[in-house]
Amino acid sequence: MKVFTTENIRNISLLGHRGSGKTSLVESLLFVKDYIKRKGNVEDGTTISDFDKEEVKRIFSINTSLIPIEYDEVKLNFLDTPGYFDFVGEVVSSLRVSASAVIVMDATAGVEVGTEKAWKLLEERKLPRIIFINKMDKGYVNYPKLLAELKEKFGKKIAPFCLPLGEKEEFKGFVNVVDMKGRIFNGKECVDTPLPKDIDVSEIRNLLFEAIAETDEVLMDKYFAGEEFSAEEITTGLHKGVVNGDIVPVIVGSAQQNIGIHTLLEFLKRYMPCPTELFSGERIGKDPETNKDKRVKIADETPFSAIVFKTLVDPFIGKISFFKVNSGIIKKEAEVFNPIKNKKERIAQVMTMQGNKQIEVEELHAGDIGATTKLQYTQTGDTICDKNFSVVFNQIKFPKPNIFSGVLPADKNDDEKLSTALQKVMEEDPTFIVKRNYETKQLLIGGQGEKHLYIILCKIKNKFGVHAELEDVIVSYRETILGKAEVEGRHKKQSGGAGQFGDVFIRFEHSDKDFEFVDEIKGGVVPKNYIPAVEKGLIEAKEKGVLAGYPVINLKATLYDGSYHPVDSNDLSFKLAAILAFKSGIEKAKPVLLEPVVKMEITIPEEYMGDVMGDLNKRRGRVLGMDHLESGEQMLYVEVPEAEILKYSIDLRALTQGRGQFEYEFVRYEEVPENISKKIIESRNK
């Protein structure tokens, strides 16, 4: 592949609801530009961008694929992202390095949840976009109704650049309103035709001219004077409007029939920004030494810097790191520096990818996207740079896991192999997490949904040969006391020779601190050298409460009396005496069970508020407040017992048709209601 300079590069993410045809669109793009002789099919698992075993098996995208395409001296780096919400991390990382997007829409389905979510992500990042309405040749399609729905959802930015010719199976092409020509499918390809006489485009064209006029004062004067815009003024004005986010072009087509593909390529080249056109042609990072902002100009003359946005772990090739060059030029055999890990790395090869096919290139310029293999220390989100130009770009903000599950190997001997395989998957997928709960002895995995976790298990089976199963999360309860008790703990053992003797009086009561030990011994009734052993005994004993064996917290223990034997007393005797006192004292001091409570931030559209609030009440949730967000959605702040939300991500999606999302974190422990407490204790003691 040729080497392209910054002004001739476009980085474009393909977004949209699952099944809208993003991967099929990539096949058409590759086919019309002669990269492939025959188009692959998603159902048959023969597409370039869905190459993973799980993608082929499940007939949907799981990973983002990089697909570079050369068009008219411009390099278009397409990032084909998954449509399933469980793989939103892939979308987030792609949007971090692309300067624009194509939202692919299914004409037969209209504006779906995935379309809305894609729009929201682009609005947050202020990225320009084009909407490609796919499948215009399928089923019942009402184009005016589709346009009205887009305008209702997304506002007056929506601008039709094309009008379809024919409907359903009769769909044979469209009128390009900008260039004033028809594009008709002749059975093999789309060809230019004169404007059909029965189509009136004056109203739409006038709206486009109005949008163009608003981008420049000179053009505004010309518009009001009733003068015609030149072709160059139209292109320049539309380019400016699209890049500023004031205009969102809507074009139509069919990926299956290759209709609209050339027009899409042409519009992407004309109207989408090159890397220097957004954010003043700079990227802002931090100087790792001073921690001050460092402005990095996107130019070949600036020393090299890049952000790694994706990692693929292949059991045969090893690690493939995808990166976007923010400044400078990178060539193979270059030595670079990772300031986050404070390590040097060697770029063994510089390449681009076409799905899983590696294409070596001589060099990559500022703004381009590429990949390299065998980086030892560098992970997704890290910065690599020239060792004399140290900079750290902001880490990619991935969504936190919102569903956890226990995981265990099918073969008990594979415990270590399972941990190793999961760690490798975690390198690939920053929205996935592995942690061990040493208290419950469970290995836990967390992700973005049930499907996400299940596919992780299939991945480790396919890639690393480790079979694993999911199990329910064991909730970490606690115990405490509400009352007060004074007890004696006496340990006496005589078995010939030196015996054992320890005798302590301890007062147990509730405390705001996790654990307090107070020494009130007077007159040396318990020698000072044995008091640490008493504390040690209590610390050991509180790990297993009397109700259900859970750790005891919020406990104050005051040692106020005791006795000792000059010969038989020792550290062990006083430790055992403290343990006896603990068991007796806790039973008498009104022990209760505590459960972990989490604070949740739930984002939902307003129309689902009633259903979500009603559901939270059933889960013993307490609403602390709510905020109205700029996006028009509501943010709910809720506290709820952790045991009630272990699979909340599944239920929230069902309640909100996939539009709701949430994050949560542990805040404190609270007393479990008696009826629930009894069931937990019975179940645990079985």
Side-chain angles (χ1 to χ4, degrees):
M1 186 169 262
K2 276 166 44 182
V3 172
F4 288 81
T5 50
T6 310
E7 67 278 7
N8 294 322
I9 293 165
R10 310 281 184 273
N11 297 319
I12 307 136
S13 287
L14 296 178
L15 311 177
H17 197 81
R18 63 180 182 270
S20 57
K22 298 180 291 297
T23 301
S24 300
L25 178 60
V26 168
E27 287 298 302
S28 291
L29 289 162
L30 288 165
F31 180 72
V32 301
K33 292 309 296 169
D34 290 326
Y35 284 94
I36 52 175
K37 297 298 172 200
R38 188 162 171 246
K39 276 163 66 175
N41 186 295
V42 174
E43 283 73 24
D44 298 338
T46 52
T47 64
I48 298 293
S49 55
D50 281 359
F51 54 84
D52 186 276
K53 272 188 186 176
E54 288 305 311
E55 291 176 316
V56 171
K57 178 179 161 188
R58 294 171 194 284
I59 319 175
F60 60 75
S61 300
I62 293 167
N63 302 301
T64 292
S65 293
L66 171 61
I67 309 288
I69 289 175
E70 291 179 32
Y71 172 75
D72 197 16
E73 298 304 312
V74 167
K75 183 186 186 186
L76 302 160
N77 284 316
F78 287 100
L79 292 160
D80 179 19
T81 70
Y84 265 98
F85 307 140
D86 287 42
F87 310 105
V88 66
E90 296 286 325
V91 179
V92 168
S93 60
S94 300
L95 289 179
R96 177 58 187 275
V97 297
S98 55
S100 58
V102 174
I103 298 177
V104 183
M105 227 175 102
D106 181 341
T108 62
V111 178
E112 297 176 273
V113 186
T115 320
E116 291 175 26
K117 286 200 164 191
W119 183 277
K120 186 183 169 190
L121 287 166
L122 294 166
E123 282 287 288
E124 285 167 2
R125 289 157 178 78
K126 297 181 171 56
L127 294 180
R129 68 218 71 155
I130 281 178
I131 293 173
F132 181 81
I133 302 181
N134 189 27
K135 304 185 186 181
M136 287 295 292
D137 55 335
K138 305 281 182 197
Y140 177 72
V141 176
N142 183 331
Y143 184 67
K145 189 181 172 188
L146 276 175
L147 266 185
E149 192 183 357
L150 281 167
K151 286 186 175 180
E152 185 194 336
K153 290 277 183 189
F154 307 133
K156 62 177 187 177
K157 295 177 178 185
I158 297 296
F161 278 31
C162 296
L163 285 178
L165 297 171
E167 290 180 349
K168 296 181 274 188
E169 289 78 13
E170 299 299 310
F171 174 70
K172 57 181 186 283
F174 54 88
V175 170
N176 179 333
V177 178
V178 181
D179 297 338
M180 293 294 281
K181 64 185 179 187
R183 290 283 288 168
I184 303 293
F185 184 62
N186 63 10
K188 283 179 77 178
E189 59 184 357
C190 277
V191 292
D192 287 349
T193 61
L195 212 61
K197 287 177 182 169
D198 57 338
I199 295 263
D200 181 15
V201 297
S202 56
E203 190 183 338
I204 288 176
R205 200 159 159 82
N206 196 44
L207 286 171
L208 281 185
F209 284 167
E210 202 176 305
I212 291 163
E214 285 177 11
T215 65
D216 187 278
E217 282 185 25
V218 175
L219 295 179
M220 182 70 84
D221 293 341
K222 207 170 177 180
Y223 175 72
F224 282 120
E227 294 176 42
E228 282 285 315
F229 293 147
S230 69
E232 192 181 335
E233 284 170 335
I234 291 171
T235 300
T236 306
L238 288 176
H239 175 81
K240 196 172 176 182
V242 172
V243 171
N244 290 344
D246 300 325
I247 301 171
V248 176
V250 178
I251 63 177
V252 298
S254 162
Q256 196 173 355
Q257 303 281 359
N258 301 329
I259 302 175
I261 306 303
H262 278 101
T263 302
L264 175 63
L265 286 166
E266 181 60 32
F267 281 7
L268 289 171
K269 177 201 153 191
R270 273 194 220 169
Y271 305 125
M272 291 292 103
C274 74
T276 56
E277 286 185 88
L278 287 185
F279 315 117
S280 309
E282 294 177 330
R283 290 292 175 271
I284 297 175
K286 293 268 184 204
D287 186 314
E289 287 177 17
T290 63
N291 206 33
K292 288 182 179 172
D293 282 355
K294 187 167 185 172
R295 291 180 176 275
V296 177
K297 191 180 176 190
I298 302 169
D300 289 351
E301 300 77 48
T302 314
F304 170 73
S305 69
I307 184 162
V308 174
F309 69 94
K310 180 174 172 57
T311 306
L312 268 183
V313 179
D314 189 286
F316 305 108
I317 304 166
K319 196 161 80 168
I320 302 172
S321 302
F322 291 76
F323 59 88
K324 154 95 178 289
V325 182
N326 277 342
S327 62
I329 300 170
I330 189 71
K331 300 181 182 184
K332 68 177 179 179
E333 302 301 332
E335 190 179 76
V336 297
F337 180 60
N338 180 333
I340 293 170
K341 303 290 191 300
N342 197 26
K343 296 282 186 183
K344 288 178 183 174
E345 296 268 28
R346 190 174 139 271
I347 303 290
Q349 58 187 139
V350 176
M351 59 193 186
T352 186
M353 303 284 286
Q354 205 153 79
N356 63 345
K357 182 185 167 191
Q358 299 178 15
I359 303 165
E360 285 219 32
V361 290
E362 283 178 37
E363 58 191 34
L364 291 171
H365 288 243
D368 211 342
I369 291 174
T372 190
T373 53
K374 296 171 184 167
L375 292 183
Q376 263 184 290
Y377 311 102
T378 302
Q379 295 171 299
T380 301
D382 283 0
T383 301
I384 49 175
C385 56
D386 188 299
K387 60 181 182 291
N388 298 316
F389 183 75
S390 205
V391 63
V392 175
F393 296 110
N394 288 342
Q395 291 271 329
I396 301 167
K397 196 178 177 190
F398 289 104
K400 293 178 186 172
N402 56 36
I403 186 168
F404 283 87
S405 188
V407 62
L408 64 169
D411 181 342
K412 284 181 182 176
N413 297 323
D414 279 352
D415 199 39
E416 203 171 311
K417 275 172 75 178
L418 173 63
S419 286
T420 306
L422 290 171
Q423 288 294 333
K424 286 188 175 171
V425 174
M426 206 158 69
E427 270 195 65
E428 263 192 358
D429 185 352
T431 65
F432 168 72
I433 195 168
V434 185
K435 60 183 185 182
R436 193 174 284 279
N437 185 329
Y438 290 99
E439 187 186 314
T440 61
K441 298 180 174 58
Q442 250 191 331
L443 185 64
L444 298 173
I445 56 173
Q448 301 303 309
E450 214 172 20
K451 191 179 263 90
H452 187 197
L453 298 186
Y454 183 63
I455 284 173
I456 295 282
L457 291 201
C458 296
K459 263 191 181 183
I460 61 169
K461 182 180 166 187
N462 290 336
K463 283 190 174 184
F464 309 105
V466 182
H467 294 250
E469 296 159 1
L470 296 177
E471 61 175 359
D472 288 341
V473 173
I474 302 167
V475 177
S476 299
Y477 291 97
R478 293 284 185 271
E479 297 179 26
T480 193
I481 53 170
L482 301 179
K484 190 174 179 180
E486 293 186 349
V487 294
E488 180 187 14
R490 187 179 179 93
H491 173 72
K492 186 176 181 183
K493 191 175 179 185
Q494 204 72 38
S495 56
Q500 292 179 357
F501 182 84
D503 181 29
V504 291
F505 287 82
I506 301 175
R507 185 186 310 117
F508 293 100
E509 56 198 312
H510 189 79
S511 169
D512 291 335
K513 295 177 184 172
D514 188 47
F515 175 64
E516 276 185 275
F517 176 70
V518 181
D519 169 16
E520 283 186 2
I521 291 297
K522 289 179 181 133
V525 288
V526 175
K528 280 202 181 301
N529 54 317
Y530 296 142
I531 289 171
V534 176
E535 185 177 5
K536 195 175 176 186
L538 292 171
I539 289 169
E540 193 177 297
K542 77 182 183 70
E543 289 307 304
K544 201 168 181 184
V546 296
L547 290 175
Y550 290 108
V552 179
I553 60 169
N554 301 124
L555 176 69
K556 182 179 180 181
T558 306
L559 174 65
Y560 64 91
D561 202 356
S563 62
Y564 72 101
H565 188 280
V567 177
D568 292 349
S569 288
N570 55 27
D571 284 350
L572 179 62
S573 303
F574 275 94
K575 180 183 166 186
L576 294 172
I579 290 169
L580 290 170
F582 176 87
K583 286 177 180 170
S584 169
I586 299 300
E587 278 176 359
K588 292 174 183 173
K590 294 184 190 166
V592 292
L593 196 65
L594 301 175
E595 63 185 344
V597 171
V598 298
K599 184 179 179 181
M600 300 176 76
E601 292 182 356
I602 308 169
T603 310
I604 47 167
E606 195 154 2
E607 62 262 35
Y608 301 108
M609 182 69 82
D611 292 343
V612 171
M613 297 266 269
D615 178 66
L616 286 166
N617 284 335
K618 290 178 198 165
R619 297 172 190 270
R620 301 185 284 132
R622 290 191 301 272
V623 176
L624 305 177
M626 60 182 78
D627 276 341
H628 186 75
L629 304 177
E630 276 182 32
S631 59
E633 294 171 305
Q634 295 286 343
M635 171 84 85
L636 271 176
Y637 301 97
V638 185
E639 282 186 354
V640 63
E642 186 186 11
E644 300 285 352
I645 57 131
L646 295 176
K647 300 216 168 146
Y648 187 65
S649 70
I650 301 162
D651 301 326
L652 184 66
R653 276 184 196 174
L655 281 169
T656 63
Q657 297 181 319
R659 289 176 173 86
Q661 58 193 63
F662 71 100
E663 285 188 355
Y664 70 93
E665 62 180 11
F666 167 80
V667 279
R668 65 178 170 277
Y669 286 95
E670 277 183 10
E671 190 179 340
V672 183
E674 198 175 342
N675 59 325
I676 298 170
S677 177
K678 275 182 183 171
K679 288 178 190 171
I680 295 165
I681 292 166
E682 279 170 22
S683 163
R684 174 85 163 174
N685 289 335
K686 272 180 189 175

